[in-house]
Amino acid sequence: MTTIIPINNNNSIKSIDNTLQTFIKSTTIADVLSSVKPTSRTLLDLSSDATIEQALDLLLAEDILSVPIYKKGTSSNKQYITIVSALDLLKLLSTKVSMSSLHNDRHLLLMPLSDAIELAEQLTILNSTDSVDKLVELFSYAHIHRVLIRQESNMTLLSQMDLVRFFHSYNHLVGSDILDLTTAHIVRKNDHLVSISYKSTAAEAFLKLAANKQITALPIIDDNDELVAEISAMDMRGLNRDRWDDLLKPVMMFLKTSHGDIYPPLTCHDQFTLSQIMTAFVLRKAYRLWWIDLFSGEMKGVVTMTDIFNVFASHI
């Protein structure tokens, strides 16, 4: 049976704090890397003069969501200037295209990545000897999704997903009290959840997504307001000039063309625990869970990895 921690139970809260604080403050980023990235791998990166099309191709080929960008002309001794994500590239394109001119805008995929720098997160570089609490703070309150880690002469990219995988592997050190917190203690209900109809085109969905700074994905709903799919910037990976006109297809057709099938979005309900949510992220490689009322079917919100780290950060 799931245990819900009473908000006014000071002893329970203190127990959570002590267990989690001890674990996080005694753990270094090097410990995280040895657990989730034990094999040394050359850092994937691109020059600032590479194009959006090249970046989207790399993101799909390597099944990644972001790539570090180094300053043009520093390939021998690279000077990293930002980390560009699929969402950053979508936002850049959205500033240049419109539905009326979309047919003639495929050339915009040739824009250099340097144009996306102002839209990307501030570059953060940490040392492998730093404590994990720095990561937790960045991945929560600072709304950072990925950082570069300096290891001797090498750089490694560490993402929110990497840290979730680490906490999932060592959940016995997190403490059962915090792992048993349920959805309503992790994220607030959103009465103004932004969605899009399945009748919309992919271009309309992407432009609506890019226009809202508060979201990273859109739920796709049918005529009964039921969740049938989702779309995010990661669905743009692999977009090139030859496939540009696919953006004019209905969003469901675009997703099927891109992925070979349409996969149902992952959901959770009120009684899902933090432990179960982390398991879903790790085992299903999910980036969000749509919070659905178990009885009414109402869509109440969305749980992201930032929400998980907000819970951790509030108890250390």
Side-chain angles (χ1 to χ4, degrees):
M1 179 177 178
T2 301
T3 302
I4 300 177
I5 305 300
I7 296 301
N8 61 352
N9 189 326
N10 292 330
N11 290 332
S12 295
I13 296 297
K14 191 172 294 184
S15 172
I16 291 175
D17 293 351
N18 291 340
T19 303
L20 191 62
Q21 282 182 17
T22 300
F23 173 47
I24 289 180
K25 292 185 179 297
S26 63
T27 303
T28 66
I29 296 175
D31 297 325
V32 176
L33 292 176
S34 64
S35 174
V36 301
K37 294 190 172 184
T39 304
S40 178
R41 180 183 178 185
T42 302
L43 181 66
L44 296 170
D45 55 23
L46 287 171
S47 169
S48 59
D49 62 346
T51 66
I52 292 178
E53 187 173 71
Q54 289 174 315
L56 291 174
D57 181 63
L58 178 67
L59 296 183
L60 178 64
E62 298 294 337
D63 193 21
I64 54 178
L65 294 183
S66 61
V67 60
I69 306 302
Y70 59 87
K71 190 174 182 179
K72 178 183 176 182
T74 64
S75 55
S76 57
N77 186 20
K78 295 177 180 177
Q79 179 185 343
Y80 291 104
I81 51 180
T82 192
I83 303 174
V84 166
S85 69
L87 184 58
D88 299 327
L89 299 179
L90 169 58
K91 289 181 177 179
L92 174 59
L93 286 171
S94 74
T95 65
K96 307 292 183 180
V97 305
S98 66
M99 291 302 300
S100 60
S101 65
L102 192 66
H103 276 297
N104 302 314
D105 287 340
R106 69 186 71 230
H107 66 281
L108 294 173
L109 288 173
L110 299 180
M111 284 191 294
L113 296 180
S114 56
D115 288 356
I117 293 175
E118 292 184 0
L119 298 172
E121 296 176 352
Q122 180 179 348
L123 177 63
T124 302
I125 301 177
L126 299 177
N127 296 312
S128 60
T129 54
D130 289 334
S131 173
V132 167
D133 62 344
K134 288 188 177 181
L135 277 179
V136 172
E137 182 177 347
L138 288 168
F139 288 166
S140 56
Y141 302 136
H143 298 286
I144 298 294
H145 294 83
R146 53 198 65 86
V147 299
L148 287 179
I149 306 300
R150 186 182 291 108
Q151 288 183 288
E152 298 178 352
S153 59
N154 298 323
M155 287 284 194
T156 301
L157 189 146
L158 193 68
S159 67
Q160 284 187 325
M161 178 63 84
D162 294 323
L163 193 55
V164 168
R165 287 171 55 206
F166 177 76
F167 282 130
H168 180 260
S169 297
Y170 289 87
N171 59 11
H172 57 288
L173 297 177
V174 172
S176 60
D177 288 337
I178 195 168
L179 293 174
D180 284 343
L181 291 171
T182 54
T183 306
H185 292 101
I186 298 168
V187 62
R188 292 181 179 179
K189 181 181 177 183
N190 187 343
D191 293 320
H192 305 285
L193 199 62
V194 181
S195 62
I196 196 161
S197 168
Y198 73 102
K199 297 176 183 178
S200 303
T201 65
E204 289 170 331
F206 283 131
L207 289 174
K208 187 172 185 177
L209 173 60
N212 193 321
K213 296 181 180 180
Q214 305 301 317
I215 60 176
T216 58
L218 278 173
I220 302 172
I221 58 174
D222 63 14
D223 291 332
N224 297 317
D225 288 336
E226 292 185 358
L227 177 66
V228 294
E230 69 175 29
I231 189 166
S232 69
M234 69 181 295
D235 296 308
M236 281 192 58
R237 297 181 302 175
L239 182 67
N240 54 40
R241 283 166 289 169
D242 292 335
R243 289 191 54 219
W244 183 259
D245 287 341
D246 286 354
L247 293 171
L248 295 172
K249 293 179 178 179
V251 62
M252 300 294 279
M253 187 180 296
F254 175 87
L255 291 174
K256 188 168 185 177
T257 301
S258 300
H259 305 299
D261 204 350
I262 297 175
Y263 300 96
L266 298 177
T267 62
C268 64
H269 56 70
D270 297 33
Q271 295 306 309
F272 262 53
T273 64
L274 181 64
S275 178
Q276 291 172 319
I277 289 171
M278 285 201 300
T279 297
F281 278 126
V282 173
L283 298 186
R284 302 296 296 275
K285 294 184 178 180
Y287 290 93
R288 66 197 59 83
L289 296 180
W290 300 99
W291 178 14
I292 305 295
D293 188 280
L294 185 61
F295 302 103
S296 69
E298 174 195 7
M299 188 160 45
K300 301 170 73 172
V302 59
V303 184
T304 68
M305 283 181 276
T306 298
D307 295 316
I308 292 177
F309 293 119
N310 282 341
V311 173
F312 289 155
S314 67
H315 291 101
I316 59 173

